[in-house]
Structure formats: structure tokens, C-alpha cells
Amino acid sequence: MTEKTDRDQYKEFVKERLKSLLSVVQSVSAGDFSVRVEIPEKEDEFTALSVELERMIDDLIEANRVGEGRMARLQAAVEEKERLLKTVGELSSPVIQVWENVLVMPLVGAIDSARATRITEDLLTGITKYQAEIVIIDITGVPVVDTSVANHLIQTIKAAALLGAKCVVVGISSEVAQSLISLGVDLSGMVTRSNLQAGVRYAMEMMGLEVVPQKRER
Amino acid sequence: MEVTRIPILQIENYLVASIQMALHDEAATQFRDDLLERIYATKAKGLILDLTAVDVVDSFLARLTGDIAEMAGLMGTAVVITGLQPEVAITLVELGVELKGVITALNLEKGIAALRRMVGKESANGITG
């Protein structure tokens, strides 16, 4: 009889211990690391388990802390990158007035679709702002011109023509010329000149102006 | 129902029409008819279509603009479109409307200058009277 009661008591005890351990594990798996495992003063079969669990929770807390630190650094890096991209975006499509009604847009660096859209917008806005009749697009600094870049360029030129401005593309390098022709891009109707100087000269001609040397008295 | 009509003004030998509102299809067709009648009646040498106030263009209006230019061209009238907004220009290009044979200018002043150049050139060459 007594033996049975002892067994019952033991069963109760095990149930009790498991319950408390379970609640700890549940809290931890829900992400709450504030719970502590109570280690009973009297050693029993559960002491080792409790100690191990305690250590595991400590490890988790440490890992979580490290992870949060990394997250914060990553966040800062992403913000930094966004700031830089914004700056690059602002620098990417400058529109400069070089003469009355003549604009120059020097393009530097690779052009992707997003940048191409921005270039188109900035150029058209520039045309209405400065009331430009001629726009010189300098692509000396563009390393690669593929079909999509060429198409964007053609679209921009067409849109500019709708506003009433004529575009001249200057600075086409030998590689770009080769790739454009081998890609079979249709460039009919696109005015091109060798370099910026030739472009400015073309603009002057179109506006009926010419640059002549000053007459000096000897 | 009364269809909104767009006023067509005459300066010297040129007609000027400025679209100031969003044109729905009916009004646009009415505008085209009015315009061609006026060209016929006045024998205008040139037509300026001012789109400064238009900020949305659908494919119908885009095609109509091209049509008007071509029809007026057949009647011996040079057409200049002025004041296209950048967004409208982008839309037109994206829609694939090129407005071939239409001359564009930034504003009314430049539009008139362009018309004078064209008409002057033609009369100098003796193409039109």
C-alpha cells in the first residue's frame, strides 16, 4: 500500500517537473528569453536536464544578441547604400545649358532601364525649362550600349522631337559603333557627330550662328 | 446633347487652336470637323495646335492629332504642334505614335516662327501660291 503511494507521489513529482520545464521551453520557443529554469537544490534525475536547458537558453540569448547587432549593421549599410544611390541618381543625368536654347547632357557610366527612364524625364523637363531647340547627348562615358540602351535613347530622341527639340548624339566610340551596327539597331533619323565640339558646331549651324576669330589690330 | 466646341482663332494666314480641356472622343471628332471646315473656308496657310494644357493623351486623341495633321496637309496647310508636355511626349512615344510629318515646337511663339519659315520656304520655291 505504502509502496503504491510512493509510486504515485513520484509520478506526481515527475509530472510537476516536466510541466515546469515544458512551460520554460514553450516560452523560449515563442522568443521570450526572460524565463529562467529553476534548478532544484536537491539533486535528482532532472538536475542535469535543467542545467543543460539553462545553458542552451544562455547560448540562444547570446546568439540572438549577435544577430541583432548584425541586423543593425546591415540596416545601417542598406541606408548608406540608398543614400549613395540617391546621390548617384542625382548626378546621373545632368542637363547643362551651353548656349541659348542649346543643352548638353553628358552621360557617364552604365545605363540600366531605371536610369534610362530618369534620363528621359530629366531631359524632357530640361527642354521645357530651358526652352531648348537643340540637345547634344554626349555618350563618351557610356561603356556599353546594348539594344535596350539604344532603344531608350531612340525613344528619348523621339519624345524630345515631339516637344520640338532636335537631338544630336556625340561621342560614339568605335566599340559602341560596332556593337550598334552588329545588333542591327535602326538609327535612321538620328543625328550623330564625332565629339562634343562637333556637336556644338552643329548646334550653332542649326541656329544660324557661327564662331569666327576676333579681328585683332596689329 | 451639346458637344463642347474648341475655339479656333485666326491670326494673319494662320489658324490657332488651343485645347484647354480633356477631350472625350465625341468632342475630339467635332473639333476635327470644325477645324477642317475652317481650313477650307479660310484657306489658311498654317495651323497651330497648342496642347500646352493637355496633360493626358490616350491613343484615340494621339491618332486624331496625327490624322488632323495629315488631313490638313492634304488641304495644303502646314501643321505645327506646340507645347506638348514631357509626360505626354513620353506617353506618345510609348504608344508608338510618332506624329510623322508633323512639326513640333516648344511654344506658340516658336510655332509661329516655324510656320513662317515653312510657308516662306514653300512660296519661295513656288510650290504653293
Side-chain angles (χ1 to χ4, degrees):
Chain A
M1 195 64 197
T2 334
E3 201 189 313
K4 201 184 173 195
T5 325
D6 273 357
R7 240 171 66 194
D8 275 355
Q9 263 182 357
Y10 185 66
K11 248 170 133 179
E12 263 324 288
F13 164 73
V14 168
K15 224 188 233 169
E16 209 45 48
R17 299 286 288 133
L18 278 177
K19 214 184 205 171
S20 80
L21 284 176
L22 181 68
S23 82
V24 169
V25 172
Q26 273 171 342
S27 310
V28 169
S29 75
D32 176 15
F33 296 121
S34 60
V35 287
R36 309 305 309 163
V37 186
E38 39 184 294
I39 298 161
E41 281 168 27
K42 190 170 140 282
E43 276 210 22
D44 59 29
E45 296 86 334
F46 288 98
T47 309
L49 181 63
S50 301
V51 169
E52 282 307 313
L53 187 62
E54 174 80 14
R55 191 180 297 158
M56 207 172 85
I57 291 173
D58 283 345
D59 285 352
L60 274 176
I61 289 171
E62 178 64 17
N64 201 36
R65 204 178 53 77
V66 171
E68 267 168 10
R70 267 191 205 141
M71 199 67 183
R73 277 204 301 281
L74 215 60
Q75 188 73 31
V78 166
E79 273 163 20
E80 176 72 19
K81 198 182 151 205
E82 271 166 9
R83 243 195 330 272
L84 282 175
L85 276 179
K86 198 161 161 262
T87 313
V88 169
E90 278 158 6
L91 292 174
S92 82
S93 45
V95 176
I96 306 150
Q97 185 173 30
V98 286
W99 201 267
E100 260 172 70
N101 305 332
V102 181
L103 296 181
V104 173
M105 180 178 234
L107 297 178
V108 178
I111 298 173
D112 58 10
S113 167
R115 198 179 157 203
T117 313
R118 185 169 176 139
I119 288 171
T120 310
E121 278 167 13
D122 287 359
L123 185 65
L124 297 186
T125 318
I127 288 172
T128 39
K129 185 175 162 198
Y130 296 107
Q131 298 284 295
E133 284 173 20
I134 295 172
V135 181
I136 303 168
I137 302 174
D138 188 355
I139 60 166
T140 315
V142 181
V144 183
V145 178
D146 57 9
T147 336
S148 96
V149 172
N151 279 336
H152 274 298
L153 212 55
I154 290 168
Q155 286 212 332
T156 307
I157 292 171
K158 278 182 185 162
L162 285 178
L163 293 186
K166 199 164 177 51
C167 290
V168 196
V169 179
V170 303
I172 297 180
S173 66
S174 60
E175 291 91 1
V176 170
Q178 279 185 31
S179 73
L180 281 179
I181 295 303
S182 25
L183 284 169
V185 181
D186 179 21
L187 297 179
S188 56
M190 192 151 130
V191 182
T192 52
R193 288 293 182 270
S194 58
N195 53 24
L196 191 57
Q197 190 186 336
V200 172
R201 192 184 297 269
Y202 170 83
M204 293 284 176
E205 270 169 28
M206 289 294 288
M207 308 219 336
L209 301 169
E210 77 178 312
V211 181
V212 291
Q214 263 183 8
K215 275 183 195 152
R216 292 225 180 96
E217 296 199 9
R218 304 211 170 194
Chain B
M1 201 189 88
E2 187 69 22
V3 177
T4 348
R5 291 200 144 155
I6 292 160
I8 301 163
L9 314 172
Q10 183 166 11
I11 309 175
E12 299 168 23
N13 266 336
Y14 312 124
L15 294 180
V16 179
S18 176
I19 300 177
Q20 298 284 347
M21 64 200 102
L23 274 188
H24 53 86
D25 296 2
E26 211 174 322
T29 323
Q30 178 71 50
F31 172 58
R32 183 193 61 198
D33 297 347
D34 286 356
L35 206 53
L36 294 177
E37 263 168 43
R38 276 297 288 277
I39 290 175
Y40 184 73
T42 58
K43 310 270 183 297
K45 289 259 193 301
L47 164 70
I48 292 178
L49 217 50
D50 181 48
L51 302 180
T52 314
V54 177
D55 41 17
V56 182
V57 166
D58 59 6
S59 56
F60 180 81
L61 194 56
R63 212 189 60 222
L64 191 95
T65 316
D67 284 355
I68 288 176
E70 254 180 78
M71 292 167 186
L74 282 180
M75 296 169 79
T77 304
V79 179
V80 177
I81 292 179
T82 61
L84 270 181
Q85 296 298 316
E87 306 84 59
V88 175
I90 294 175
T91 317
L92 287 179
V93 171
E94 277 168 1
L95 284 172
V97 180
E98 280 183 42
L99 298 181
K100 276 204 177 112
V102 180
I103 293 177
T104 47
L106 273 165
N107 51 38
L108 201 58
E109 192 187 338
K110 286 185 180 173
I112 290 180
L115 264 187
R116 286 223 169 97
R117 270 203 305 278
M118 279 161 66
V119 174
K121 216 184 269 176
E122 280 180 5
S123 14
N125 291 341
I127 295 169
T128 56

